[in-house]
Amino acid sequence: MSTQLSYGELATLMKSCAGLTVDPQALETRPDATFEEFGLDSLGLLAIVGELENRYGTPIEPGAESSKTPGDFLDVINTSLTTGA
């Protein structure tokens, strides 16, 4: 299992945790767009963080659920997964 979360995996998590269908290419080409622009709210983001903590068996860095953009979120998540938070 990869320890780096991709935009494609983020799009899949957005679908499974928040019920949003988002084109992974849109996330990747617009990493500085806000989650709000994609329809994801703070509760959806919190659900994604919880899913990642369960999946990888490690806590995610505090504040990840407050990320405003996909790019920032992936930076925080991938740093947490690499360092073990």
Side-chain angles (χ1 to χ4, degrees):
M1 181 179 294
S2 172
T3 58
Q4 293 290 299
L5 189 69
S6 69
Y7 286 100
E9 291 167 315
L10 177 56
T12 299
L13 287 165
M14 288 171 74
K15 175 69 173 172
S16 66
C17 295
L20 296 172
T21 301
V22 178
D23 179 4
Q25 188 69 27
L27 292 173
E28 191 164 0
T29 58
R30 298 178 54 219
D32 294 327
T34 64
F35 277 121
E36 189 174 276
E37 291 176 60
F38 293 107
L40 186 67
D41 63 13
S42 60
L43 290 177
L45 198 54
L46 188 60
I48 291 170
V49 170
E51 173 61 28
L52 290 170
E53 288 178 333
N54 289 335
R55 178 184 295 182
Y56 292 104
T58 187
I60 299 298
E61 183 175 319
E65 70 281 352
S66 300
S67 297
K68 301 295 183 201
T69 68
D72 289 343
F73 183 74
L74 288 183
D75 286 345
V76 171
I77 295 300
N78 289 329
T79 297
S80 290
L81 294 177
T82 301
T83 64

